[in-house]
Amino acid sequence: MTTQEELNATIHEMVQPGRGILAADESHPTIAKRFNAVGVESSEEKRREYRSLLLKTQGLGDYVSGVILFEETLGQKSDDGRLLSSVAASQGVVPGIKVDKGKGPMVNAPGDEITEGLDGLANRLEQYKELGARFAKWRNVYHITDINPSQAAIEANAEVLARYAAICQSCGVVPIVEPEVLIDGSHTIERSANVNEAVISEVFRALRRHRVELETMILKPSMVTPGNATGQKASPEEVAAHTLRVFRRVVPAAVPGINFLSGGQTPEEATLNLNAMNSGTSLPWVLSFSYGRALQEPAQQAWAGISSNRDSAQDALLKRAKLNSLATLGRYSADMEG
Ligand code: 13P
């Protein structure tokens, strides 16, 4: 296959109404935090056991078209000796890999952060492809305060995301471009909308500058919500109206799929909000999910590190995957939770 054929085939498999992406690419500190919340100590073996459990969930591929793995997981095998990426692929779930090296403070931009990992990326991608990865994810974060994000941060982060995406496509790897505007803070929903609009429009300016092919990338944004320190929750209809207004303004129709992160929403909120966005008029993109916490939290609680809880953990994952699948079609309602 040519590089272009690889990109076309992967995007075709990943972006389909009724299916979304499972984000299971937590870094070591993040997975340790998630495990700690359910009383599990994080070790390489526990991470392997848990992520094998997720990927072996029967029927996962009906609702999930792709899974984002952490580098460690790409090299791990299930009990039957298969690579975990092969386990995913055998379920019809395309394996992908988080390739950024994490974030840190941006020099001369107090309160802003920038993501690292571009050096040597093309070489790393070739190795990841040999282990089965067909798409990649890179996350940049933006804090909202009265002065953040600065224009310098908006521009620098956009440039990094676009360079990452261009390198991925040159290697035949579909890039998930993730500009996460954080939910943390006491900002209004209007302020979140303004920041998301400024951030995403700058990202697309940079993608064009770097000649990224919009048809073979996926955008992974935040939903537009009030800050989590306000103590206020917007209704799903308000979240949908603000979020879609921003995207209609700044996301070209050439982009096939927008897969939201959950970003600290509860599992039910994330599903309700996604459903509301898919309940109105027709949209130029497939609007779906790429949730980490909102898909995995109930499964982690059911598992609690105990091998014999495997079936109930898988049931919990499959339930959230199915409900979010319905939400991509606008066919979810809260009474399906019970
Ligand atoms: P959450 O859905 O838990 O925000 O995680 C998604 C993700 O991949 C963040 O990079």
Side-chain angles (χ1 to χ4, degrees):
M1 271 206 276
T2 64
T3 298
Q4 186 66 52
E5 285 166 350
E6 285 179 324
L7 293 172
N8 293 346
T10 302
I11 200 80
H12 182 73
E13 283 179 56
M14 290 183 71
V15 179
Q16 295 171 8
R19 296 173 86 203
I21 296 169
L22 167 62
D25 60 326
E26 299 86 356
S27 63
H28 291 332
T30 303
I31 196 71
K33 195 159 52 167
R34 305 278 182 262
F35 277 12
N36 188 44
V38 294
V40 179
E41 194 167 337
S42 181
S43 66
E44 185 174 346
E45 175 52 22
K46 270 293 174 204
R47 294 189 291 271
R48 187 193 70 84
E49 178 191 334
Y50 170 68
R51 287 166 169 159
S52 302
L53 170 165
L54 296 180
L55 295 173
K56 286 191 160 177
T57 300
Q58 281 297 320
L60 187 67
D62 293 343
Y63 312 118
V64 168
S65 59
V67 60
I68 315 172
L69 303 173
F70 190 64
E71 188 172 12
E72 174 188 77
T73 315
L74 205 57
Q76 286 177 326
K77 294 179 174 166
S78 76
D79 289 340
D80 59 18
R82 287 182 297 161
L83 279 174
L84 288 180
S85 62
S86 305
V87 173
S90 70
Q91 296 250 52
V93 176
V94 179
I97 168 92
K98 168 195 172 79
V99 299
D100 67 71
K101 294 280 187 187
K103 61 191 173 52
M106 182 169 144
V107 172
N108 294 340
D112 289 319
E113 296 192 278
I114 188 99
T115 302
E116 298 183 345
L118 287 175
D119 289 352
L121 179 57
N123 287 336
R124 283 200 286 134
L125 285 169
E126 293 306 335
Q127 292 162 23
Y128 298 149
K129 277 180 87 173
E130 279 171 23
L131 291 168
R134 295 172 56 196
F135 72 92
K137 179 196 106 168
W138 178 295
R139 170 177 179 254
N140 281 42
V141 302
Y142 305 82
H143 297 266
I144 302 184
T145 69
D146 288 346
I147 57 162
N148 300 104
S150 65
Q151 187 58 28
I154 289 173
E155 290 178 14
N157 277 286
E159 178 75 9
V160 166
L161 275 168
R163 288 192 56 208
Y164 141 80
I167 294 167
C168 284
Q169 288 185 339
S170 77
C171 298
V173 172
V174 165
I176 295 185
V177 173
E178 181 179 3
E180 177 172 3
V181 177
L182 294 170
I183 199 171
D184 307 326
S186 52
H187 48 272
T188 61
I189 194 167
E190 289 79 13
R191 171 96 173 115
S192 170
N194 287 338
V195 171
N196 271 286
E197 185 173 333
V199 161
I200 297 170
S201 62
E202 193 63 38
V203 167
F204 278 98
R205 214 192 316 272
L207 290 169
R208 190 164 60 241
R209 197 160 61 235
H210 288 273
R211 300 187 186 175
V212 171
E213 185 180 67
L214 300 183
E215 290 81 359
T216 53
M217 62 159 276
I218 292 170
L219 180 69
K220 175 166 176 167
S222 307
M223 294 183 197
V224 175
T225 66
N228 62 4
T230 57
Q232 293 168 2
K233 300 268 186 195
S235 69
E237 292 70 30
E238 282 175 280
V239 172
H242 280 281
T243 305
L244 291 178
R245 183 174 147 99
V246 168
F247 290 163
R248 284 200 175 98
R249 288 180 173 187
V250 297
V251 182
V255 175
I258 300 178
N259 290 62
F260 291 97
L261 58 96
S262 60
Q265 299 180 46
T266 66
E268 289 80 7
E269 280 165 12
T271 310
L272 275 168
N273 289 338
L274 181 62
N275 189 69
M277 284 189 266
N278 282 304
S279 297
T281 54
S282 72
L283 301 165
W285 335 270
V286 174
L287 276 197
S288 185
F289 55 91
S290 175
Y291 296 158
R293 283 162 286 182
L295 279 174
Q296 293 186 62
E297 243 168 41
Q300 286 164 355
Q301 284 159 2
W303 175 59
I306 299 164
S307 306
S308 58
N309 289 339
R310 178 194 172 96
D311 287 356
S312 44
Q314 291 180 331
D315 289 348
L317 173 66
L318 199 65
K319 175 180 170 185
R320 289 256 62 84
K322 180 176 182 177
L323 294 178
N324 282 300
S325 162
L326 289 168
T328 70
L329 305 169
R331 293 192 202 138
Y332 165 81
S333 67
D335 57 22
M336 295 172 176
E337 294 289 344

